[in-house]
Amino acid sequence: MLTANSSQTIATDRGAPFVLTASERESIEHAMHHYADPRAATIDALKIVQANHRWVPDGAITAIADVLGVSAADVEGVATFYNRIYRKPVGRHVIAVCDSTSCFLMGFDQLYGALQQKLAISPGQTTPDDRFTLLPIVCLGACDKAPVLMINDTTHFNVTAENIDSLLEQYK
Amino acid sequence: MTSNVNIGLTNVGPETHPLTWRYTKAGKAVVEIKEYEAMEGYAALKKAVTMQPTDIQAQVKAANLRGRGGAGFPTGVKWSLIPMGADAGQKYLVCNADEMEPGTFKDRMLMEELPHQMVESMVLAAYAIGATKGYIFLRGEYVLAGERLNAAIDQAKAAGYIGENILGSGFNFELHVHLGAGRYICGEETALINCLEGRRANPRTKPPFPQQAGAWGRPTIVNNVETLMNVPAILLRGADWFKGLSQGKSTDSGTKMYGISGKAKITGLWELPIGTSCRELLYTLGGGMADGLGLMCWLPGGASTDFLMDEHLDLPMDFDTIAKAGSRMGTALITVIDDKQNILSVVRNLEQFFSRESCGWCTPCRDGLPWTVKLMESIEAGEGQEGDIETLHQLTRFLGPGKTFCAHAPGAMEPLQSALKFFPEEFKKGIVQKGIKA
Ligand SMILES: Cc1cc2nc3c(=O)[nH]c(=O)nc-3n(C[C@H](O)[C@H](O)[C@H](O)COP(=O)(O)O)c2cc1C
Ligand code: SF4
Ligand code: FES
């Protein structure tokens, strides 16, 4: 078992020690009450941290493990399994482009290509100004309005290479 | 943005469209509890709490409701396998709202537009199986559905439909929306339970089945959104009425959410008698193929179903008929592929999806799917080697049913094996013949 204080001494990738804020800790403890076992709040906890930091720094893994009473290895195992949890820094806005069947049929390749060209990055990368990260994602459940992408928590429908400029302008 | 729902259908009502009539009648989402109550809302729950739980199970069984998550397992049979009685202990009801099957967008619509119908269905099903705690396992990307479900749960609590001693019945029930964090495999019911417990979403061995030992080792029923949302109407109108909804088009019961995506003129969702043919769906409601395009093939219900052709257009879209035709109805939302597509690219795209989404637990799937993608990429580029097609055939067997830990890999093989069957010439064209690139 890790001690309650261990999280405070572990440096993050960015050099500063990681400490959960009081409100993060409170949110995690609240999430635990929904389940028979605190472990079940692991994903909630990772999302709570990610909502404040955009990604999940190393120190947060141990800090979350402490609160939930599970091993840091288990928290890391969960953090690395799910594609919507980021274990590397991402930009201010994450663009997730659906690359599944219906979007593929309706012009995903052109859209993805145009985004890469416009942002001058490859999938998985972040623009140098930290504004956008570009990622692929599975079917977003809006295949009748393909091609589809998400920016942060908002889904955009019928997105084409022609209308990406005005779309990206909404995200500074 | 609202989906295209029931475009072109007339006379949509409770007698014929148990899933969507409220939405179509209101012409918008039914999010307020008062609106929902004014349209028979929570009437089924009020009736249910006067009945014995096992009688509700029997009625769902008699109605022959089959699971709408893709496999078509009879819901009443599943429910009857859960231990009942005073000593059964803690049980759980989990709604599978992790919809990620490529080409599928029905559960999103049902939850966004009819959140109270989802909530009522959960309370009712929980009562029938004696579960005091329920989870809606919602994919994290469905933000609007999450907001509306949580608002509906709050309203239902305030109205006494959730909580302690519901409607004076002595039945207690808590409902929580659990948000996922991605990965297609979470939709597999035992992987979903692992995810709910805060673990990596690797599937579990079966047996034991979740009905015996599911969430936290307790008896658990996992059902799809659409499956559950049929239950209130079955209870209100009876099993015989539900059976009659197919209008003689099928021996299956009820209506089904059918949908179209891909290269049709009109894409969207329709609630139709189960057993409606693809021709009626695509050419009458979907307006046919998009301008200037012909039909090459179609997927009947998601990425993990075998391609079907022109010759299958008139088959009733129900579980048994589509299975007999060599495919699966799956989610029954068809993906329409036009004759200007390269089938090799389409299959490659499908296999890339399955390869990336493999959970990595068992070797045939973890290694076989990336291999499949590599072979498809080289054949697509006209650089396939002699023997590659035979290897693909072999992979469809090595990754087939019973060879892997869960149904993910067999699902991945369905579009591949049917493409090999229907388009052998296209594959041959991608093989380097005597050193000459195609
Ligand atoms: C790889 C894989 C993914 C699945 N994804 C889903 C899904 O997203 N939604 C769903 O309802 N069922 C999904 N299923 C089926 C579930 O395992 C399960 O059969 C279903 O939720 C049972 O509910 P039903 O009987 O009401 O259909 C998936 C199965 C597999 C093998
Ligand atoms: S078949 Fe694939 S998804 Fe299923 S357990 Fe094996 S590796 Fe995981
Ligand atoms: S395939 Fe892109 S939203 Fe479904």
Side-chain angles (χ1 to χ4, degrees):
Chain A
M1 248 326 261
L2 293 147
T3 67
N5 292 330
S6 59
S7 60
Q8 295 174 7
T9 55
I10 291 179
T12 68
D13 300 10
R14 284 180 172 172
F18 188 91
V19 187
L20 289 171
T21 66
S23 88
E24 282 171 343
R25 182 176 283 269
E26 203 178 295
S27 302
I28 294 170
E29 279 163 0
H30 177 75
M32 282 157 54
H33 294 305
H34 293 299
Y35 309 98
D37 178 17
R39 176 191 297 278
T42 307
I43 293 176
D44 289 316
L46 291 163
K47 284 187 176 176
I48 287 162
V49 168
Q50 188 164 286
N52 285 341
H53 298 259
R54 287 194 232 152
W55 66 297
V56 179
D58 288 348
I61 298 291
T62 2
I64 290 169
D66 284 350
V67 178
L68 300 179
V70 300
S71 77
D74 283 1
V75 176
E76 178 72 336
V78 169
T80 52
F81 189 93
Y82 299 97
N83 58 300
R84 300 289 278 171
I85 303 292
Y86 309 127
R87 281 293 278 113
K88 280 186 191 168
V90 294
R92 291 196 295 286
H93 310 291
V94 176
I95 309 175
V97 189
C98 170
D99 63 359
S100 294
T101 335
S102 308
C103 289
F104 175 77
L105 292 169
M106 300 303 286
F108 156 79
D109 277 341
Q110 292 88 311
L111 173 62
Y112 212 38
L115 279 165
Q116 291 175 51
Q117 201 172 17
K118 161 118 181 126
L119 302 172
I121 52 173
S122 300
Q125 294 182 334
T126 300
T127 53
D129 61 359
D130 235 17
R131 187 168 160 208
F132 290 114
T133 299
L134 183 65
L135 293 170
I137 196 165
V138 300
C139 175
L140 285 166
C143 330
D144 56 334
K145 299 185 278 281
V148 182
L149 57 74
M150 270 187 106
I151 304 183
N152 307 331
D153 273 345
T154 309
T155 309
H156 298 275
F157 310 103
N158 300 120
V159 186
T160 60
E162 289 77 52
N163 59 26
I164 51 172
D165 284 355
S166 57
L167 180 62
L168 296 185
E169 273 312 300
Q170 299 167 35
Y171 297 87
K172 292 296 175 186
Chain B
M1 179 163 159
T2 309
S3 304
N4 262 350
V5 184
N6 292 344
I7 299 290
L9 297 187
T10 49
N11 298 326
V12 173
E15 295 288 343
T16 49
H17 295 76
L19 292 167
T20 59
W21 71 274
R22 294 179 175 97
Y23 169 74
T24 305
K25 188 166 175 222
K28 64 178 181 64
V30 182
V31 293
E32 292 303 323
I33 195 163
K34 289 275 169 286
E35 290 173 275
Y36 182 67
E37 285 175 323
M39 292 192 272
E40 296 184 358
Y42 293 103
L45 179 63
K46 286 176 187 153
K47 183 173 178 186
V49 295
T50 66
M51 295 170 66
Q52 284 302 318
T54 44
D55 290 342
I56 301 174
Q57 292 181 12
Q59 197 159 347
V60 170
K61 202 183 216 168
N64 191 27
L65 171 63
R66 297 178 67 175
R68 303 314 200 219
F73 190 82
T75 306
V77 174
K78 188 189 274 187
W79 289 9
S80 70
L81 298 171
I82 197 144
M84 296 297 287
D87 55 356
Q90 178 71 58
K91 288 178 270 183
Y92 294 103
L93 172 67
V94 180
C95 174
N96 191 340
D98 197 51
E99 185 169 73
M100 284 190 209
E101 182 72 31
T104 305
F105 45 96
K106 65 186 177 71
D107 298 341
R108 179 204 274 268
M109 177 265 154
L110 291 171
M111 292 183 291
E112 284 182 355
E113 316 296 5
L114 296 159
H116 276 289
Q117 197 170 325
M118 176 83 261
V119 171
E120 181 183 12
S121 305
M122 285 296 285
V123 186
L124 212 164
Y127 178 81
I129 62 163
T132 52
K133 179 94 208 191
Y135 294 95
I136 299 174
F137 188 111
L138 182 69
R139 67 178 295 189
E141 292 86 350
Y142 282 6
V143 179
L144 181 62
E147 286 167 7
R148 289 189 174 166
L149 287 169
N150 276 318
I153 289 170
D154 287 345
Q155 291 179 359
K157 265 187 204 159
Y161 299 128
I162 291 177
E164 307 260 301
N165 189 21
I166 293 165
L167 298 169
S169 64
F171 173 63
N172 304 332
F173 182 63
E174 290 300 326
L175 180 56
H176 179 65
V177 177
H178 173 94
L179 292 179
R183 298 307 294 274
Y184 171 71
I185 194 61
C186 294
E188 197 281 337
E189 59 184 6
T190 59
L192 180 141
I193 289 170
N194 270 334
C195 181
L196 179 66
E197 290 186 9
R199 303 173 194 278
R200 291 166 73 88
N202 298 116
R204 297 177 174 179
T205 34
K206 295 196 243 184
F209 290 91
Q211 299 91 278
Q212 305 156 285
W216 298 286
R218 304 303 311 165
T220 303
I221 292 288
V222 183
N223 272 130
N224 171 260
V225 171
E226 185 187 350
T227 311
L228 289 168
M229 281 174 76
N230 273 301
V231 176
I234 292 175
L235 220 64
L236 275 184
R237 297 198 153 73
D240 286 336
W241 163 81
F242 190 72
K243 283 176 150 171
L245 283 175
S246 59
Q247 299 178 7
K249 289 169 190 265
S250 166
T251 49
D252 280 338
S253 307
T255 58
K256 178 79 194 74
M257 295 309 296
Y258 288 101
I260 307 178
S261 69
K263 293 298 180 75
K265 226 176 235 131
I266 301 169
T267 55
L269 273 172
W270 290 266
E271 182 182 3
L272 301 169
I274 198 162
T276 300
S277 72
C278 178
R279 187 181 301 282
E280 195 178 340
L281 178 65
L282 175 57
Y283 288 93
T284 308
L285 297 163
M289 295 297 294
D291 286 337
L293 298 176
L295 177 70
M296 177 158 73
C297 55
W298 51 291
L299 291 165
S304 60
T305 62
D306 296 72
F307 290 106
L308 290 175
M309 308 293 286
D310 232 28
E311 70 213 58
H312 304 110
L313 285 174
D314 291 308
L315 296 175
M317 291 252 290
D318 66 26
F319 291 107
D320 296 342
T321 310
I322 298 299
K324 243 180 255 155
S327 185
R328 290 191 312 122
M329 181 160 80
T331 63
L333 277 78
I334 67 168
T335 308
V336 179
I337 297 143
D338 64 277
D339 54 4
K340 297 262 166 32
Q341 300 289 330
N342 177 353
I343 189 70
L344 299 174
S345 310
V346 176
V347 174
R348 185 258 304 154
N349 171 267
L350 283 157
E351 298 308 327
Q352 281 175 324
F353 161 79
F354 286 109
S355 176
R356 189 178 69 204
E357 295 305 315
S358 165
C359 85
W361 184 255
C362 67
T363 311
C365 175
R366 184 187 58 240
D367 285 359
L369 289 177
W371 189 10
T372 306
V373 170
K374 276 205 172 131
L375 289 168
M376 285 310 306
E377 281 171 344
S378 65
I379 295 174
E380 182 187 5
E383 291 166 2
Q385 300 299 306
E386 270 176 55
D388 281 359
I389 295 175
E390 290 69 22
T391 308
L392 285 175
H393 276 289
Q394 229 172 19
L395 281 164
T396 64
R397 290 193 297 275
F398 291 161
L399 276 67
K403 304 279 174 32
T404 56
F405 197 65
C406 87
H408 178 85
M413 292 299 103
E414 294 193 20
L416 174 62
Q417 73 196 10
S418 49
L420 284 163
K421 179 170 78 182
F422 292 126
F423 305 100
E425 294 308 319
E426 298 303 315
F427 281 83
K428 273 184 211 149
K429 276 189 219 158
I431 304 293
V432 179
Q433 305 284 344
K434 298 189 180 74
I436 303 164
K437 233 176 104 166

